[in-house]
Amino acid sequence: MTPYDIQGLQGRRVKDRIFTSLVWGLTFSCLAVVFIILFYIFEKGIGSLNWAIFSQNPKPVGENGGGMLNAIVGSLMVVSIAAILAIPVGVSVGIYLAENRGRKLSDRIALAVDVLQGIPSIVIGIVIYVWIVKPTGKFSSYSGSIALAIMMLPPIIKNTEETLILIPTTLKEASLALGASYFRTTMKVMLPAGIGGIFSGCIIGIARIAGEVAPLLFTAFGNPALNFNILKPVDTIPKVIFTYASSPYDDWHRIAWGGSVILVSFIILLNTIIKIFESRWKVQF
Amino acid sequence: MKNRWRVLENKIFVRWLSIVSIITMILLLVFFLTLLISSWPAIKANGFGFLWGKTWDPVANHFGMLPFLVGTLITSFLSLLISAPFSIAAALFLGEYYPKGLVPNIFRNVIELLAAIPSVVYGFWGLYTVAPLVSKIEMKLHMPAPGVGIFTASIVLSIMLIPYSVSLIRQVISMTPTSLKEAAYALGSTRAEVITKVIIPTNISGISAGFLLSLGRALGETMAVTILIGNSPEIPHNIFSPSYTMASVIANEFTEAVGNIYLSTLIEVGLLLFVVTTIINIIGRMIIKKVSY
Amino acid sequence: MEGTILRTENLRVSFGDNLVVKGINMEIGEKKVTAFMGPSGCGKTTILRAINRLHELTPEAKVEGKIFLHSENINEMEAMTVRRRVGMVFQRPNPFPTMSIYENVISGFTLNGIKLKTDEKNHIVEDALKKVALWDEVKDHLKKRATSLSGGQQQRLCLARAVAMKPEVILLDEPTSALDPLSTAKIEDLLYELKGNYTLIIVTHNMQQAARISDMTAFFYLGELLEYDDTKKVFTNPKNEKTQNYITGRFG
């Protein structure tokens, strides 16, 4: 007597092998795409980099040369102000969620944070336009920062929450048992113990917004001149890439490639910092 | 005295935590109201016909959104369709075949690098690489060959969706109970059979939620699409046609919109985008939450 | 009782619908070591946590009745004040992982925002560490992370942290249950040393420990106080049958 499925066995084995190779093949093509794109960006970009990109402002249309100093300064300004605004709020909400886990209100807040993460960035740009740019009558660097700060919140909140709930309760109890207030317990015991995770949440947030253009189009707008005033419009690297990429001038394209490679390297650097943090900077309990 | 200050400081802190948390929660509602109020003049002026009006002519104050609606839907679904096999394969590779170890870990980080590239850089890259390729195909097919259009935008968009859907689906897949898989192996199933008949069916709602959330992301993706879609406010004839999406029409025309109704209409487009992506995200997140417990 | 420091009046603690401590009335003597004994789930740790008002962290926990520290009702005091006057050592050593050994000892002050001069700090740290017999072992690396110490050392550090605040009462919740026999012996010796100078309440499963270090022993069963007397009397001549069964090892 033979098992009744023995005839199908050969075919099933073949099918299994085909399936496995399909999984391998498609996965490897994903990896290949990553390398193709990065290679292209770096090849185009590094060749385009020169000192002028970092040290000069844009030349008028038609003239070759010039750089994106104004946009580098602008990006740093818009992103760091966004971080200054978002980090205290994001960490606070994260603390609240970790502290009130399981309650109905905090479940709703957590859902709202998740949904906020999925809102198209351009919509956030419109809202900030209506809130700030329209009433004040002018584009401004700080309005862009506010738009980006809102986009930064979800990763900061989620990382803070997830880090804090992993800290043993006994630690919090130890501090409270010494008579420390909840505030001081949080600031001096909980946050230092979770600093690695919270910090990487902040970096993820910065990495998320550093390359954004859509929310800046009608807030920070753009400015070919070097500007340090947060009340005035300002250029950012991604905005310049967008403007130049849509232009017909080769030299502008060159500068845009330079900007792309600066931006991508910066974000990859941030990602690397996060990985190092997650693996190395762990508090032992 | 000192003690009283400590008590006060503590109270302020606790109050601050709940206030910012509640503000964060109602932010979405405030967004909605902001958009609704600002688009009210347009809603009144354009009426419901706005949704299926075929003509977009700001100069004549004639606004029909159908071209953007069609452009957005085709681009998003097409990109989702292109990325799906890749996403599922990579999610299976990292969540089922090799969930642990150094090499899979490197693979995961490499795929996550795709998320590190800004949208605008994707668009720029696509303009230099994908668009010329598509243009060649178009010439072979004896069509107008601008290179940019729905197909080009969808290809680039599909690459952008991969890291997002892979991480969502991998999480879902890796939560499959081992006992379930073992039961299937014990019956003599091959790995392919375990995957197609056990892992995927048991996680189908989670996987769908992953794709739903990716769709939400595709609908709102702006910069890359704006660079690659061709910006033509007409109903597309085929998948190579230049088109326009809701997000990119806002990006391109918002700062140039003269006249209240024009600006308000663009905000109305934003309102629709907001409502659709919010609903998609609420549903998607709720499913994901349900399956993770 | 002469020199009462703590007194409970009909203390009841419940978690949701589950009444865990069922109306306890007892007095704790000043400068005495009181052992709380009884089988698991008898409510002894719950009482301890009620004295330090730690149940406020658990939303479903409800504490009724009164607890007096001297003559003050602790539920009418600021929780922070109560906790500063009542120290606590937990089952598992829980030094602050982000702080050094030195900083851990002084943490009761820094966490409460009390500013001290370096001299004062040094003095407090040395004094507290000497009291817990840890000074000789750690005096050369006070700047090291507290988590670099062994479990037993960590637990003594936690005791030093509590002692440094000069609390009126120190609560010890099975302080040796997570330690090896050698470290346990050290802590026991230490508690024996502290006897007479401090008011200690120790929850323990270990009968020898209770017999050895405590002046008074309270025996709890299912949330009720069945027996409370001099340790000697409880161990040699228990009045309650359940107590007798427990100390002779027939259940628990």
Side-chain angles (χ1 to χ4, degrees):
Chain A
M1 228 173 87
T2 49
Y4 56 83
D5 64 350
I6 198 82
Q7 285 167 320
L9 201 58
Q10 197 59 33
R12 287 169 59 209
R13 266 201 202 126
V14 172
K15 265 190 208 157
D16 186 48
R17 220 161 278 163
I18 293 173
F19 188 85
T20 308
S21 6
L22 210 60
V23 168
W24 273 75
L26 291 170
T27 305
F28 274 85
S29 36
C30 288
L31 298 172
V33 165
V34 182
F35 287 113
I36 290 170
I37 295 178
L38 287 178
F39 182 78
Y40 195 89
I41 294 170
F42 277 87
E43 194 212 33
K44 275 273 180 191
I46 290 174
S48 312
L49 283 180
N50 57 22
W51 183 237
I53 286 188
F54 296 96
S55 63
Q56 289 179 22
N57 287 330
K59 289 265 167 71
V61 182
E63 268 181 60
N64 276 359
M68 53 192 333
L69 174 66
N70 63 328
I72 294 172
V73 170
S75 266
L76 288 175
M77 194 160 96
V78 173
V79 170
S80 47
I81 291 174
I84 291 169
L85 293 173
I87 290 170
V89 174
V91 172
S92 300
V93 179
I95 295 171
Y96 182 89
L97 291 180
E99 205 55 47
N100 297 286
R101 235 174 132 70
R103 293 195 193 170
K104 222 176 205 168
L105 181 64
S106 64
D107 277 355
R108 282 195 194 136
I109 294 171
L111 179 64
V113 171
D114 278 334
V115 174
L116 189 61
Q117 182 148 33
I119 299 302
S121 55
I122 189 128
V123 173
I124 297 176
I126 298 178
V127 171
I128 301 300
Y129 174 87
V130 175
W131 284 356
I132 297 170
V133 178
K134 217 170 156 196
T136 58
K138 57 187 176 197
F139 298 110
S140 54
S141 151
Y142 77 93
S143 59
S145 298
I146 292 174
L148 294 185
I150 292 173
M151 292 190 65
M152 267 185 88
L153 284 177
I156 301 178
I157 293 172
K158 300 194 80 175
N159 265 55
T160 306
E161 183 197 1
E162 281 161 17
T163 309
L164 290 182
I165 55 175
L166 290 180
I167 297 176
T169 353
T170 56
L171 214 59
K172 189 165 90 186
E173 288 181 348
S175 171
L176 291 172
L178 288 167
S181 67
Y182 173 60
F183 171 61
R184 285 183 180 272
T185 301
T186 308
M187 295 311 238
K188 300 215 164 161
V189 177
M190 303 299 277
L191 293 187
I195 192 70
I198 295 168
F199 188 81
S200 63
C202 298
I203 304 278
I204 293 170
I206 293 173
R208 184 179 177 208
I209 61 164
E212 274 292 339
V213 191
L216 300 178
L217 289 172
F218 1 108
T219 53
F221 193 61
N223 185 350
L226 187 61
N227 167 41
F228 294 99
N229 186 345
I230 60 164
L231 301 176
K232 284 188 177 165
V234 71
D235 249 341
T236 53
I237 301 172
K239 172 68 175 35
V240 169
I241 298 171
F242 177 56
T243 314
Y244 285 11
S246 335
S247 80
Y249 313 113
D250 280 343
D251 200 52
W252 276 15
H253 280 199
R254 179 185 65 79
I255 294 174
W257 281 119
S260 302
V261 90
I262 296 172
L263 201 56
V264 172
S265 319
F266 177 66
I267 297 173
I268 291 177
L269 177 75
L270 291 181
N271 278 325
T272 317
I273 293 174
I274 296 163
K275 297 291 167 207
I276 292 172
F277 251 79
E278 280 170 356
S279 63
R280 296 261 170 88
W281 200 353
K282 259 194 184 147
V283 176
Q284 291 295 320
F285 296 114
Chain B
M1 190 60 217
K2 224 172 165 204
N3 202 27
R4 196 173 293 167
W5 163 242
R6 266 200 294 279
V7 172
L8 185 67
E9 145 195 279
N10 198 41
K11 268 190 189 142
I12 295 171
F13 179 64
V14 172
R15 194 63 56 81
W16 155 262
L17 289 187
S18 34
I19 289 174
V20 287
S21 302
I22 289 167
I23 290 178
T24 307
M25 182 177 66
I26 59 173
L27 211 51
L28 289 170
L29 185 67
V30 178
F31 277 15
F32 176 73
L33 292 176
T34 306
L35 294 168
L36 186 67
I37 293 167
S38 309
S39 57
W40 194 248
I43 296 172
K44 264 203 321 209
N46 300 332
F48 276 110
F50 175 62
L51 286 176
W52 50 85
K54 289 182 193 163
T55 335
W56 178 263
D57 187 358
V59 182
N61 251 353
H62 196 96
F63 301 104
M65 212 188 72
L66 195 64
F68 312 133
L69 208 57
V70 174
T72 307
L73 290 177
I74 296 181
T75 315
S76 305
F77 278 100
L78 188 58
S79 62
L80 202 60
L81 206 66
I82 299 171
S83 73
F86 294 92
S87 307
I88 292 182
L92 284 171
F93 190 93
L94 299 171
E96 165 63 20
Y97 281 82
Y98 306 99
K100 282 193 186 98
L102 181 68
V103 175
N105 201 15
I106 293 172
F107 279 19
R108 209 173 69 221
N109 287 329
V110 169
I111 289 178
E112 277 171 12
L113 275 181
L114 282 176
I117 302 169
S119 174
V120 66
V121 176
Y122 270 112
F124 196 24
W125 169 81
L127 199 60
Y128 266 67
T129 56
V130 182
L133 278 177
V134 172
S135 176
K136 268 182 201 155
I137 299 172
E138 285 167 338
M139 278 194 277
K140 286 237 170 79
L141 296 170
H142 303 292
M143 291 198 303
V148 291
I150 293 177
F151 190 59
T152 311
S154 300
I155 288 177
V156 175
L157 192 50
S158 70
I159 299 172
M160 299 173 67
L161 293 181
I162 285 174
Y164 195 63
S165 14
V166 169
S167 96
L168 283 166
I169 298 169
R170 181 184 58 83
Q171 273 173 34
V172 172
I173 284 176
S174 61
M175 279 185 305
T176 316
T178 322
S179 57
L180 211 61
K181 286 189 269 181
E182 281 169 354
Y185 281 121
L187 290 171
S189 309
T190 62
R191 187 157 217 171
E193 285 162 348
V194 173
I195 289 169
T196 52
K197 290 177 184 155
V198 177
I199 295 179
I200 292 179
T202 42
N203 295 310
I204 193 68
S205 53
I207 294 171
S208 322
F211 281 124
L212 191 64
L213 291 171
S214 304
L215 176 68
R217 179 154 269 217
L219 291 173
E221 187 43 62
T222 312
M223 299 323 295
V225 177
T226 306
I227 295 175
L228 296 171
I229 193 118
N231 299 337
S232 152
E234 274 156 36
I235 308 261
H237 305 291
N238 56 50
I239 58 164
F240 290 102
S241 301
S243 178
Y244 227 151
T245 66
M246 291 158 75
S248 48
V249 74
I250 300 171
N252 271 334
E253 301 191 3
F254 199 84
T255 49
E256 286 151 24
V258 275
N260 277 334
I261 296 294
Y262 188 9
L263 191 69
S264 177
T265 303
L266 288 171
I267 298 176
E268 189 182 354
V269 176
L271 174 68
L272 280 168
L273 205 52
F274 174 81
V275 170
V276 172
T277 48
T278 303
I279 293 171
I280 284 180
N281 272 282
I282 290 177
I283 296 172
R285 288 292 165 187
M286 283 172 118
I287 297 174
I288 294 259
K289 206 181 162 201
K290 216 174 219 172
V291 296
S292 26
Y293 289 118
Chain C
M1 190 191 280
E2 192 68 28
T4 299
I5 189 163
L6 265 175
R7 188 161 59 84
T8 69
E9 238 180 64
N10 196 25
L11 178 66
R12 294 154 64 86
V13 185
S14 50
F15 296 97
D17 297 332
N18 187 12
L19 187 62
V20 182
V21 174
K22 303 169 181 167
I24 301 288
N25 293 296
M26 71 187 298
E27 296 181 347
I28 307 283
E30 195 165 5
K31 305 265 174 350
K32 290 273 200 294
V33 178
T34 307
F36 282 12
M37 294 190 38
S40 302
C42 68
K44 48 196 192 307
T45 297
T46 310
I47 298 173
L48 214 63
R49 292 170 69 89
I51 299 174
N52 218 4
R53 290 193 36 190
L54 281 176
H55 290 307
E56 281 160 33
L57 305 179
T58 332
E60 63 268 26
K62 198 171 149 210
V63 180
E64 293 163 289
K66 292 175 184 160
I67 303 174
F68 293 95
L69 180 61
H70 292 295
S71 56
E72 292 171 84
N73 185 342
I74 67 158
N75 290 318
E76 284 161 10
M77 293 158 70
E78 278 297 335
M80 290 180 246
T81 313
V82 177
R83 291 176 190 147
R84 217 171 316 148
R85 289 171 59 182
V86 179
M88 182 146 179
V89 177
F90 296 81
Q91 274 193 27
R92 289 182 173 280
N94 53 359
F96 299 121
T98 50
M99 299 182 190
S100 67
I101 295 169
Y102 185 97
E103 288 167 334
N104 259 284
V105 180
I106 208 81
S107 60
F109 296 91
T110 45
L111 287 172
N112 281 303
I114 299 168
K115 296 245 166 18
L116 295 172
K117 292 196 190 98
T118 319
D119 286 359
E120 284 177 288
K121 278 199 256 181
N122 291 343
H123 181 74
I124 291 170
V125 169
E126 185 175 342
D127 187 53
L129 287 175
K130 275 183 176 158
K131 275 188 184 137
V132 300
L134 196 61
W135 175 251
D136 291 332
E137 292 162 55
V138 302
K139 66 179 177 211
D140 297 326
H141 36 258
L142 290 170
K143 295 275 170 275
K144 267 198 185 170
R145 287 273 152 121
T147 36
S148 64
L149 298 174
S150 74
Q153 289 174 321
Q154 287 188 16
Q155 192 63 306
R156 277 183 281 153
L157 181 65
C158 292
L159 188 56
R161 183 171 70 186
V163 167
M165 295 292 288
K166 297 205 168 28
E168 293 160 49
V169 181
I170 301 178
L171 310 171
L172 300 125
D173 183 9
E174 299 187 42
T176 58
S177 65
L179 302 180
D180 60 281
L182 230 76
S183 309
T184 301
K186 265 196 181 148
I187 300 250
E188 272 183 28
D189 289 346
L190 198 60
L191 296 176
Y192 197 78
E193 293 283 317
L194 296 175
K195 198 171 161 167
N197 293 319
Y198 289 87
T199 308
L200 304 178
I201 302 177
I202 178 167
V203 165
T204 179
H205 271 126
N206 182 331
M207 261 163 292
Q208 287 77 12
Q209 193 170 65
R212 186 173 161 223
I213 61 178
S214 70
D215 302 300
M216 303 289 286
T217 295
F219 181 75
F220 296 91
Y221 185 72
L222 296 178
E224 287 175 75
L225 178 62
L226 292 192
E227 187 142 1
Y228 180 37
D229 215 328
D230 278 350
T231 299
K232 262 191 204 130
K233 275 191 197 157
V234 173
F235 275 91
T236 52
N237 187 18
K239 290 184 201 111
N240 193 294
E241 198 188 337
K242 288 233 169 61
T243 318
Q244 178 148 27
N245 289 344
Y246 184 74
I247 60 174
T248 50
R250 256 171 270 168
F251 80 99

